[in-house]
Amino acid sequence: MHTGTVIRSTGTWIDVSVKGKVIPSRIRGRMRLDHENSTQPIAVGDRVGLVIQNDKTGLITQVHRRYNCLQRRAAGRKVRKRQVLVANVDFIWIVQATQQPALNWRLVDRLLVACETQDIPGGVVINKMDLAAPDLSVSIRELDEYYRQLGYPVVLTSVAEKLNLKTLSHLFSDKVNVLLGPSGVGKSSLLNAIDPEINIPTKSISNKTSKGRHTTAHTELHSLITGGSVMDTPGIREFGLLDIKPWELAHHFPEFRPHLTRCRFPACTHDHEPDCAVKRAHMKERISDERYESYLNILYTLRLGDADIGR
Ligand SMILES: Nc1nc2c(ncn2[C@@H]2O[C@H](COP(=O)(O)OP(=O)(O)OP(=O)(O)O)[C@@H](O)[C@H]2O)c(=O)[nH]1
Ligand SMILES: [Zn+2]
């Protein structure tokens, strides 16, 4: 029996790295049944036990207990299931672009909540700074300051102008990182620029819709020559949060926490309730309009329960 790390999963084949060698593997049939409430029993980053067979392929017989994982509500007809996107990670970078596609702070906040619920440190990368109009640059720098104070590092990058790529590779260097964000923001381009040996295919986004064309189809774990490793994930359009009760949500907004004990009702959702300390803090501009709106937006989708698709 060998132990390895899942570096890529394409559905039928799961590539496992065992002491630096990649073993194309399959999973034992029964393991699929043991994981009925998730769409896939295995995620990139999982540590697995496998037997190497005569034809040099692997048979995965066990998945080791996960240190942590990032999961969302599965999309489409499988909404009642959960999808584990990545497992055993140290840091999640939420990647956005200044445009093409347009910057979406709602999604950033939603993904930061997902990081908070799993206790995974998170940060934000705003790429394509070369395309930012001057007024957008100003508002990005203001938000940059706000998020930093919450404990989320923000890195403003441009692959085209090689802006802050060294900073990013330095931040990546001592951990297992994840790049998460919509299609077309430049996740693969950033990795290619940091480590040319990686060479992930990228495509230009279609001008008509400004929506990405989903060039990365599967999550893959890459080791960087500059140190550390990064999981490049396919672009996400929606992220349905799991396992959060409406009254718990505020605990996942760091700047709300100091106020939570001062609301009149212990289960206050900081929405319609009277005598709410969070609403007072928002009035006094200790909580920004944007973050409070993100909070309400997520709160309303949580109340939808299974109908929440996470936009
Ligand atoms: N102007 C500009 N274009 C960039 C920058 N970074 C990436 N691009 C372009 O944006 C497009 C999409 O880049 P990708 O790296 O494929 O984006 P992705 O986030 O990996 O997309 P998916 O794989 O679909 O999730 C490509 O045409 C890149 O050349 C940048 O900093 N500035
Ligand atoms: Zn309240």
Side-chain angles (χ1 to χ4, degrees), residues 263 268-270 276-278:
C263 293
C268 186
T269 60
H270 325 295
C276 165
V278 168

Side-chain angles (χ1 to χ4, degrees), residues 66-84:
R66 287 173 182 146
Y67 165 68
N68 61 26
C69 70
L70 182 72
Q71 48 185 345
R72 68 171 171 184
R73 184 186 297 283
R77 265 178 297 159
K78 294 180 180 158
V79 288
R80 281 174 194 283
K81 296 199 172 193
R82 41 188 73 221
Q83 179 190 18
V84 177

Side-chain angles (χ1 to χ4, degrees), residues 100 127-131 157-161 181-190 201-205 212-216 232-235:
Q100 296 174 16
N127 188 36
K128 307 199 189 184
M129 284 303 290
D130 56 294
L131 301 182
T157 61
S158 163
V159 175
E161 292 178 349
S183 188
V185 294
K187 300 180 293 297
S188 304
S189 303
L190 283 165
T202 60
K203 252 190 258 152
S204 62
I205 52 177
R213 277 196 253 141
H214 288 279
T215 46
T216 303
D232 187 21
T233 63

Side-chain angles (χ1 to χ4, degrees), residues 98 103 105 126 129 131-147 154 156 290:
T98 57
L103 225 166
W105 287 102
I126 311 281
M129 284 303 290
L131 301 182
D135 56 333
L136 183 67
S137 290
V138 172
S139 69
I140 287 174
R141 275 166 221 283
E142 279 168 18
L143 285 166
D144 173 350
E145 186 57 34
Y146 187 93
Y147 281 83
V154 179
L156 309 181
E290 288 84 2

Side-chain angles (χ1 to χ4, degrees), residues 10 44 57 80 84 122 133 161 241 281 301 303:
T10 60
V44 168
T57 66
R80 281 174 194 283
V84 177
E161 292 178 349
L241 293 162
T301 64
R303 288 188 182 140

Side-chain angles (χ1 to χ4, degrees), residues 169-170 172-173 194-195 224-228:
S169 72
H170 184 72
F172 286 166
S173 66
I194 286 173
D195 183 347
L224 300 173
I225 38 168
T226 44

Side-chain angles (χ1 to χ4, degrees), residues 250 259-260 262-271 273-280 295:
H259 310 290
L260 297 178
R262 283 185 278 119
C263 293
R264 190 200 299 177
F265 301 106
C268 186
T269 60
H270 325 295
D271 173 17
E273 296 90 342
D275 198 5
C276 165
V278 168
K279 281 194 281 181
R280 272 200 303 272
Y295 168 78

